[in-house]
Amino acid sequence: SVSLLTSSLSSTTNFLSFADQGQNLAGIFFQASLLPYLAFLYFLSFRGNRTPALGNFGFQYLLLFVFGTIPSGIISKLTYSQTLANVDWLHGGAEVLLCVTNILIVVGWRDAMTNGASQAKKAKGIWKPKAVALGCGVAFAAA
């Protein structure tokens, strides 16, 4: 009984099958998290919340990161037989989208805190950061 347990634990196929279950679980969590995040975006955009327009756009921009990472992961797996984390040029491009998301959120909320929520909500000057962010998304898609 002990030798059977020892040989079972030393088998690498057991570890590989467990890793495969983790990948499936991650896919399930990703699919299950999309609807709550869309609901979060919906409620975040209510006027009563006084969410700064640029911060709100930053949270929406996160969807571009998510939907940009999916084809990048597929391309890295099919072309290079590697995960996305191991293909630097694709992984770097995806991380740029995440970095831009973080910058948009921080700058939007910082402006709301320094200028007041009423001025940040009007957001007459947010087209420039939005244009830069969308340009990063287009550059990522072109690569």
Side-chain angles (χ1 to χ4, degrees):
S1 166
V2 173
S3 64
L4 179 63
L5 179 63
T6 306
S7 66
S8 175
L9 289 176
S10 65
S11 172
T12 58
T13 58
N14 289 337
F15 294 118
L16 292 177
S17 64
F18 185 76
D20 183 52
Q21 291 174 6
Q23 288 293 335
N24 292 336
L25 190 60
I28 291 169
F29 282 141
F30 170 74
Q31 293 169 6
S33 70
L34 187 57
L35 234 81
Y37 190 74
L38 291 175
F40 164 74
L41 290 177
Y42 176 75
F43 290 114
L44 187 69
S45 63
F46 280 157
R47 291 183 192 260
N49 291 336
R50 297 183 300 160
T51 303
L54 189 59
N56 193 11
F57 179 73
F59 282 112
Q60 294 168 358
Y61 195 83
L62 183 65
L63 290 175
L64 182 64
F65 161 74
V66 169
F67 292 127
T69 304
I70 293 168
S72 296
I74 293 169
I75 290 169
S76 66
K77 195 64 155 173
L78 294 177
T79 305
Y80 302 107
S81 299
Q82 296 287 324
T83 62
L84 179 60
N86 293 334
V87 181
D88 287 338
W89 71 276
L90 285 172
H91 186 246
E95 290 299 321
V96 164
L97 295 178
L98 185 59
C99 183
V100 169
T101 296
N102 293 333
I103 290 170
L104 289 170
I105 293 169
V106 168
V107 169
W109 284 97
R110 184 207 56 183
D111 288 347
M113 289 172 44
T114 57
N115 298 333
S118 61
Q119 290 178 347
K121 190 65 178 174
K122 291 179 186 173
K124 292 182 180 178
I126 69 164
W127 66 271
K128 291 178 186 176
K130 281 185 176 182
V132 170
L134 293 175
C136 289
V138 168
F140 174 73

